Amino acid sequence: MMKKAWALGPWVLAGLCLSLATSAGAATERSTVLLLGNVAGRQQVEYLPEGEVRVHYEFNDRGRGPVLDSTFRVSANGTLVSAESRGVDYLKAPVDERYSATGASHHWKSSAGEVRREVSGPVFYLSLESPPEEAVLLIRAALRAPGQRMALLPSGEAQVAAVGSLTVKSKAGSRRVRLYSLSGLDLAPSYVWLDEQQRFFASVSSWMKLVREGFEDTLEQLDGYQEAEQRRLARARARALTTKLDRPLAITHARVFDPGTLTVEEDQTVLVTQGRISAVGPSAKLVVPRDARILDAQGRFLMPGLWDMHVHITGGADGPLALAGGVTTVRDLANEDRTLTRLIQEIEAGHDIGPRVLKAGFMDGRSPYSGPTRVFVDNEEEARTAIDNYAARGYEQIKIYSSIKPELVPTLVRLAHAKGLRLSGHVPAFMTARQFVEAGADELQHINFLALNFLFDRVQDTRTPARFIAVGEHAATLDLGSPEVRAFLALLRERGVVVDPTVSIFDDMFHDQPGHWNAGLSPILGRLPPTLQRRLGSGSGGLPDVAKQPERYRDSFLRLVELVGLLHRSGVRIVSGTDNLSGLFLPRELELYVAAGIPPREVLRIATLGNAEVMKRDKEYGRVLPGYVADLILVDGDPTLLISDLRKVRHVIRGDRLYESAALFRSVGIAP
């Protein structure tokens, strides 16, 4: 589970601040990092005289996670005089970044390069890699600035707003705390709780929580208050951007693609009534009801909505962004149950904007590298309890993770199938993909685990980033025509095993290096907010050794792409998933399928009807036929000829709701 590490990094996205300092005297504050309730790291901040702040920050996420030592010097107005960070980033690449300001002259150097710039007026430098405390210093500076707005270097602007106050009690005492929002750094506001002295108290999200030591038992109360504020914003956005289809909708003069036949019919009218397709036919012949709303397609391409079969959806920007990109259904493969259930309820009630969500229950074994979950399974009794609970809550699939004991897999398969649930996952450590399939797994997540099946002599413990590094170093030498590969693909085909490649995540991981970013990002980079453009364009999303062996990692990535094409041609079903932000990255995933040799029309089928078939929804979703649910997208261009035209979605119909893609993109700060 990548959890969107491509953006500002989990240490910024998940908790924009820790330990707000006073300006006078020396003090030390400690905060705890928790991933889904499990202690994963810490930050220690020393506040020294003359505005100096020293920070140590680290957390462990399945062998990934930053370790940073930083020193900041803060001026009287809250902006930085200097900043320095050293250590490793989330993927363990080296960090050595420095910034200094003298009057209007600003100088910084990082893995993205070296820059000198003259800027008049207050401005705050935002590091490429930094501990959360830097964002706290930014909040302090913005609170002092006119309008609580602060210009940023290299570019952008941050704004801070007070949301509301709350009194919380714990064994460590009682505190009056205030919630602040910080906008301008990401696609949605981030939040931080400060006490009455404007010192850090907590930062909460569904995945990561950060809290002042001794106040862990206040997190549930804070989470509830913050969630209410986020719901308020989401409901206002839904009212503004959703057109409720309370009367028939006639989409006229469209070129209609049917994934069932792989054909395109010219000049068609599609009639939508109460969320379903009620009629399809030539525009010259089909009778449109007099009270119908008319959407003139003007010859544009109409097709079923896309599916992303590998997401970890949260609130905020995720839902609107998915629909903006034409994704009307997603499969969530690991999440916090309460948060996911509430989000689905809000979306289905029309109080939030988002795709339909299918749920897969996530579980792992106990180890130092366990995935972020509260559901741990080390024996049959725990397995039975977990699977029974997921089945009772409407989950359709079980996803297991890398620390599950190999000998427990057949039991998990038996228990899941007894409840009518599919079972998929990472291939557990010390187990081959062949053994996983022979134990009864229905699906494999991530194309690297297929490659690892043939690298078992090199790496068996795949709980750490070794599962990426070994593939990057050795996949280029795999002989895809070998008897071993052919026999394994035959096994997948005979067993009806599905593969969820998520090959696009390796596009960044195997190509990015300091100062050189993956060219596959070109179509979206310029559309993003400035801070995200900078991080993506820095090349910081790659594995540590890419810069040392760029040709080897490039060739290994190409071999993974070739393997995707070989799977399809061998009769193995693949499903389209991103393990990333659907609305931005699903087109790239599908472009790579075309690069693998799969014809665009077949790729469109995979991303619509094919995915619906896997989830047994193909009698209601994935085609443009009477009786089917009206999940439809209207596209400029023709993705049967150029798959990248899927980035040109114009309108999205999600059942009885109509959206304009451009408006959805703008609502999360992205240019259409």
Side-chain angles (χ1 to χ4, degrees), residues 20-87:
L20 188 62
T22 56
S23 57
T28 300
E29 289 189 359
R30 299 176 180 86
S31 299
T32 304
V33 180
L34 301 101
L35 298 180
L36 284 184
N38 304 306
V39 175
R42 63 188 176 91
Q43 177 173 264
Q44 178 169 304
V45 184
E46 294 180 84
Y47 309 110
L48 303 171
E50 299 181 3
E52 184 173 341
V53 182
R54 295 179 183 173
V55 187
H56 176 79
Y57 178 64
E58 63 179 278
F59 72 81
N60 178 28
D61 175 25
R62 300 157 287 171
R64 290 169 280 184
V67 180
L68 292 173
D69 286 290
S70 304
T71 302
F72 303 93
R73 190 171 296 277
V74 184
S75 69
N77 68 358
T79 59
L80 299 181
V81 176
S82 64
E84 179 179 328
S85 289
R86 292 183 177 180

Side-chain angles (χ1 to χ4, degrees), residues 334-351:
N335 216 316
E336 197 279 319
D337 177 68
R338 183 183 69 94
T339 301
L340 182 61
T341 298
R342 288 185 181 180
L343 177 60
I344 293 171
Q345 290 171 345
E346 290 290 294
I347 290 172
E348 294 307 314
H351 301 320

